[in-house]
């Protein structure tokens, strides 16, 4: 649901792992302005559009391992300056949009 976390403005850690999630809503994380760590591992996500995380301006760590992700896209031009760690292990990645890593200048490899 849209704005599910609207009143959770102080939340810094969110674990939604192992919930059988199949997709993410474009504004599903709206309101999580202080979120630093998000766990979405062990779900059934097949496609990740980084535009869905646009409002998570303070997010530093994103765990997406062990899903069924085959495509990574960006969907729009923007820069995600804070994301330092992205874990995609255990997925079935086939395509990565060229601009995806351009939007992640702080990512530590």
């Amino acid at each position: 649901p849209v704005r599910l976390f609207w009143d959770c403005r102080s939340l810094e850690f969110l674990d939604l792992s192992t919930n059988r999630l199949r997709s993410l809503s474009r504004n599903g994380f709206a309101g999580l302005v202080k979120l630093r760590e998000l766990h979405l591992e062990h779900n059934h996500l097949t496609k990740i559009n980084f535009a869905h995380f646009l409002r998570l301006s303070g997010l530093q760590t994103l765990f997406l391992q062990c899903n069924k992700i085959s495509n990574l896209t960006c969907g729009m031009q923007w820069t995600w300056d804070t994301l330092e760690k992205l874990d995609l292990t255990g997925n079935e990645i086939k395509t990565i949009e060229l601009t995806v890593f351009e939007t992640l200048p702080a990512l530590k490899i």
Side-chain angles (χ1 to χ4, degrees):
V2 175
R3 298 186 182 197
L4 178 66
F5 300 106
W6 192 252
D7 294 325
C8 301
R9 297 186 185 279
S10 298
L11 196 66
E12 293 184 14
F13 176 91
L14 180 60
D15 189 345
L16 294 173
S17 61
T18 318
N19 276 292
R20 298 182 183 167
L21 299 176
R22 295 185 184 276
S23 63
L24 302 174
S25 172
R26 184 172 192 98
N27 291 313
F29 298 110
L32 297 173
V33 293
K34 292 189 178 181
L35 194 70
R36 299 209 182 285
E37 188 170 318
L38 177 59
H39 290 259
L40 292 168
E41 65 268 24
H42 298 281
N43 280 293
H44 299 286
L45 301 171
T46 57
K47 180 177 142 183
I48 293 297
N49 183 338
F50 284 119
H52 291 154
F53 304 104
L54 182 63
R55 296 181 185 219
L56 299 178
S57 57
L59 195 69
Q60 297 172 343
T61 307
L62 177 58
F63 293 98
L64 290 165
Q65 66 267 34
C66 299
N67 278 283
K68 299 176 181 181
I69 300 169
S70 60
N71 298 317
L72 292 175
T73 61
C74 188
M76 61 191 311
Q77 282 191 329
W78 64 290
T79 303
W80 200 354
D81 292 322
T82 58
L83 192 70
E84 296 177 356
K85 182 175 182 177
L86 173 64
D87 192 338
L88 293 162
T89 56
N91 282 287
E92 304 165 3
I93 298 173
K94 294 178 182 148
T95 49
I96 300 175
E97 195 174 83
L98 291 174
T99 57
V100 165
F101 293 109
E102 293 174 7
T103 64
L104 306 169
L107 194 65
K108 296 179 181 174
I109 299 173

